[in-house]
């Protein structure tokens, strides 16, 4: 597997002020600050989730529209990226070893994260310190091993799902269309393998798929360029909807979760980076654009295009491998949602209901977190993972309802850690296998924003150079 050819950078002739203003990282941080300010102003004007105002409705529309744009491009991106990456792996002798190493490191990091979650749950005792007024409620969705296995079987070629629910007026129904991402991955993998087996007859299809992938990537770079605008709307809407008062009764639980997330992101990941002889500073500067977007969008899938971009361009992971590992990680590598959170939450529920957990049950928490994180891909995120954990342990599922009030606040941090890990593992595996472009990994994050996207060879050039806002592409 060869690394991507590097294009010549455009000379940076900007002044210091313009350089700062055009920095993608600065734009995201500025949007966060402005969004928080707008949200606080909205709350002062009386806006709440139940009583929206013109300001809150505007912020919500901006944020939700941006996430919708990101998600709209995810399905064609995953399909074409996986098919193209499988076709590229035919040139690699150690393709099976790469896949095995990737899955192994997914499991290793999940194991470390869940141990941290269990320790924090036992030390902080969040369930015993829960505030007054909490009432158990029924979870709106339940995860089971059986649902996970059924989720692997494609219902149709596109992994398309349609759900219908009662509308606001009597006798009316509303339908929504979605995609089961895990099924899309299964379909793409099968198609890619079949194309390889077909040999030369499939060459036109593979060429078309690679061309389509480049077109989709170009559209995605345009969408991600307006990420600061989406960030402004998302964070402003979150402040208005959830505020800070909802943390009051579950403050210790929220603190335990965020301490665990911080330990994984700022202690465990840097140790793994340094252990493999890589620069911690370069890792964070490279992955940070994706982490920022994940925090505000609360969607690993929505952030997938940017995660894959920074993994290739900033961390030096070959495209043929990154386009396989990152989409796989976006559905199965969730140290925040599937390891730290369910561990602490399960212990919280046990403590709240006065149930003493034994060694076997703690061991089950570890097993479910390491093996079962893929169960979140076929349904919906951390809540499903928590119900899967509680049902495996025999704990009351009503406990999930205790935590739903602050779930969006926790989900921001969980998703940021998920995405950081989804970029970390491919970099580690690439380093261990000797295919990491360390010159690209250690390159300075500077240059003209998107300067290498301007020519006809932009997709090839964009994959190689590393200006500071590279994550925005």
């Amino acid at each position: 597997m060869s690394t991507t050819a590097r294009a010549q950078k455009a000379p940076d002739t900007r002044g210091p002020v313009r350089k700062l203003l055009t920095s993608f990282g600065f734009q995201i941080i500025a949007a966060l600050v402005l969004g928080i300010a707008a949200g606080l102003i909205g709350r002062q004007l009386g806006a709440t989730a139940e009583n929206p105002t013109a300001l809150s409705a505007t912020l919500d529309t901006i944020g939700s529209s941006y996430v919708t744009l990101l998600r709209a491009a995810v399905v064609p991106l995953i399909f074409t990226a996986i098919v193209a990456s499988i076709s590229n792996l035919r040139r690699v002798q150690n393709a099976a070893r790469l896949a095995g190493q990737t899955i192994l490191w997914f499991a290793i990091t999940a194991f470390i994260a869940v141990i941290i979650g269990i320790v924090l749950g036992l030390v902080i005792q969040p369930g015993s310190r829960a505030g007054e007024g909490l009432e158990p409620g029924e979870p709106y969705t339940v995860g089971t091993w059986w649902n996970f296995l059924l989720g692997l079987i494609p219902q149709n070629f596109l992994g398309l799902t349609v759900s219908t629910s009662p509308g606001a007026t009597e006798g009316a129904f509303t339908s929504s269309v979605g995609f089961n991402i895990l099924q899309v991955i299964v379909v793409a993998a099968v198609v890619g393998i079949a194309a390889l087996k077909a040999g030369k007859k499939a060459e036109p299809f593979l060429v078309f798929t690679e061309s389509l992938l480049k077109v989709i990537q170009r559209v995605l770079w345009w969408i991600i360029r307006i990420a600061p605008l989406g960030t402004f709307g998302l964070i402003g809407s979150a402040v208005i909807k959830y505020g800070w008062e909802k943390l009051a009764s579950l403050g210790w639980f929220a603190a335990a979760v965020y301490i665990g997330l911080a330990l994984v992101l700022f202690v465990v990941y840097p140790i793994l980076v340094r252990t493999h002889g890589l620069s911690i500073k370069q890792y964070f500067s490279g992955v940070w654009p994706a982490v920022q977007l994940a925090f505000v969008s609360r969607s690993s899938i929505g952030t997938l295009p940017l995660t894959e971009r920074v993994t290739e361009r900033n961390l030096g992971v070959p495209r043929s491998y990154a386009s396989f590992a990152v989409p796989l990680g976006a559905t199965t590598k969730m140290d925040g949602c599937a390891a730290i959170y369910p561990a602490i939450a399960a212990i919280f529920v046990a403590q709240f209901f006065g149930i003493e957990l034994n060694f076997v049950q703690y061991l089950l928490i570890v097993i479910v977190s390491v093996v079962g994180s893929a169960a979140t891909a076929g349904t919906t995120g951390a809540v499903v993972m928590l119900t899967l954990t509680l049902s495996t342990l025999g704990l009351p599922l009503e406990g999930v309802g205790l935590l739903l009030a602050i779930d969006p606040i926790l989900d921001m941090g969980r998703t940021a850690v998920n995405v950081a890990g989804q970029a970390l593992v491919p970099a580690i595996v690439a380093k261990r296998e000797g295919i990491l472009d360390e010159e690209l990994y250690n390159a300075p994050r500077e240059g003209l924003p998107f300067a290498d996207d301007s020519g006809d060879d932009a997709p090839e050039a964009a994959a190689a150079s590393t200006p500071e806002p590279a994550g925005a592409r």
Side-chain angles (χ1 to χ4, degrees):
M1 183 180 299
S2 60
T3 55
T4 316
R6 193 171 291 99
Q8 183 68 33
K9 290 184 185 178
D12 192 347
T13 58
R14 300 170 295 164
V17 175
R18 187 183 174 194
K19 184 183 296 186
L20 178 65
L21 293 178
T22 54
S23 164
F24 181 74
F26 173 79
Q27 291 172 357
I28 289 289
I29 293 174
L32 280 169
V33 173
L34 293 175
I36 292 173
L40 293 175
I41 292 173
R43 291 186 68 83
Q44 287 296 319
L45 296 177
T48 62
E50 296 76 20
N51 181 34
T53 64
L55 176 59
S56 65
T58 300
L59 292 171
D60 182 64
T61 300
I62 292 173
S64 60
S65 297
Y66 182 72
V67 173
T68 300
L69 279 176
L70 278 176
R71 289 176 174 169
V74 163
V75 171
L77 172 72
I78 289 180
F79 182 86
T80 55
I82 290 180
V83 172
S85 65
I86 290 177
S87 67
N88 287 333
L89 287 177
R90 70 184 184 274
R91 306 184 183 95
V92 185
Q93 295 182 353
N94 61 341
R97 178 179 172 84
L98 280 175
Q101 286 285 314
T102 303
I103 295 173
L104 174 63
W105 278 98
F106 282 177
I108 291 173
T109 52
F111 175 78
I112 296 172
V114 72
I115 294 299
I116 290 175
I118 291 174
V119 171
L120 287 174
L122 294 176
V123 172
I124 297 178
Q125 297 281 312
S128 303
R129 302 186 184 196
E132 300 293 332
L134 290 179
E135 296 181 2
E138 291 290 340
Y140 57 81
T141 183
V142 177
T144 66
W145 293 104
W146 183 247
N147 287 342
F148 167 60
L149 293 175
L150 291 177
L152 289 171
I153 304 173
Q155 301 177 23
N156 50 68
F157 179 75
L158 297 175
L160 186 66
T161 59
V162 179
S163 59
T164 302
S165 58
T169 58
E170 185 176 354
F173 293 88
T174 59
S175 297
S176 60
V177 178
F179 291 90
N180 186 314
I181 298 300
L182 188 60
Q183 291 182 9
V184 174
I185 292 176
V186 170
V187 171
V190 171
V191 171
I193 294 172
L196 286 182
K197 295 295 184 182
K200 291 184 178 181
K201 293 183 179 180
E203 281 298 325
F205 169 75
L206 294 177
V207 171
F208 169 77
T209 301
E210 292 176 358
S211 298
L212 180 60
L213 174 59
K214 292 179 180 179
V215 172
I216 295 170
Q217 286 176 329
R218 175 56 61 86
V219 174
L220 286 169
W221 312 154
W222 293 341
I223 295 174
I224 293 173
R225 284 186 184 187
I226 62 172
L229 180 61
T231 298
F232 171 75
L234 287 165
I235 200 69
S237 178
V239 171
I240 290 176
K241 285 183 178 180
Y242 310 116
W244 305 113
E245 64 273 6
K246 288 188 177 180
L247 285 173
S249 59
L250 292 169
W252 285 104
F253 173 72
V257 171
Y258 266 96
I259 290 172
L261 295 173
L263 287 175
V264 170
L265 181 58
F266 298 114
V267 178
V268 174
Y269 288 173
I271 289 176
L272 291 175
V273 169
R274 174 53 66 187
T275 301
H276 287 83
L278 299 173
S279 166
I280 296 173
K281 177 184 176 182
Q282 289 296 104
Y283 165 71
F284 277 116
S285 66
V287 79
W288 203 248
V291 171
Q292 290 174 322
L293 183 59
F295 183 83
V296 295
S297 69
R298 295 170 45 210
S299 172
S300 293
I301 295 297
T303 313
L304 171 60
L306 185 52
T307 309
E308 186 173 338
R309 191 66 154 179
V310 300
T311 303
E312 295 173 8
R313 296 187 63 167
N314 291 356
L315 302 186
V317 178
R319 174 177 298 179
S320 55
Y321 169 52
S323 58
F324 160 77
V326 177
L328 178 65
T331 57
T332 62
K333 175 72 179 102
M334 301 184 181
D335 290 342
C337 290
I340 296 172
Y341 176 76
I344 297 176
I347 293 174
F348 171 91
V349 171
Q351 293 169 350
F352 182 84
F353 287 100
I355 300 172
E356 193 74 27
L357 297 179
N358 55 39
F359 175 79
V360 173
Q361 288 173 307
Y362 286 118
L363 182 61
L364 284 174
I365 293 176
V366 175
I367 294 174
V368 171
S369 297
V370 173
V371 179
S373 60
T376 63
T379 41
T380 52
V383 173
V384 169
M385 189 64 194
L386 176 56
T387 60
L388 177 63
T389 305
L390 295 182
S391 60
T392 302
L393 297 176
L395 295 174
L397 293 178
E398 295 83 1
V400 178
L402 297 168
L403 309 175
L404 291 180
I406 64 168
D407 190 72
I409 297 173
L410 302 179
D411 198 30
M412 293 187 289
R414 292 190 311 236
T415 309
V417 172
N418 292 345
V419 166
Q422 290 158 16
L424 171 71
V425 168
I428 287 178
V429 173
K431 169 66 175 178
R432 294 174 66 88
E433 296 298 314
I435 59 175
L436 184 71
D437 186 342
E438 295 192 50
E439 183 181 351
L440 187 56
Y441 182 98
N442 293 315
R445 320 288 185 202
E446 60 183 5
L448 287 177
F450 308 107
D452 54 357
D453 282 349
S454 57
D456 294 335
D457 294 330
E460 289 79 4
S465 64
T466 56
E468 184 198 51
R473 275 161 277 197

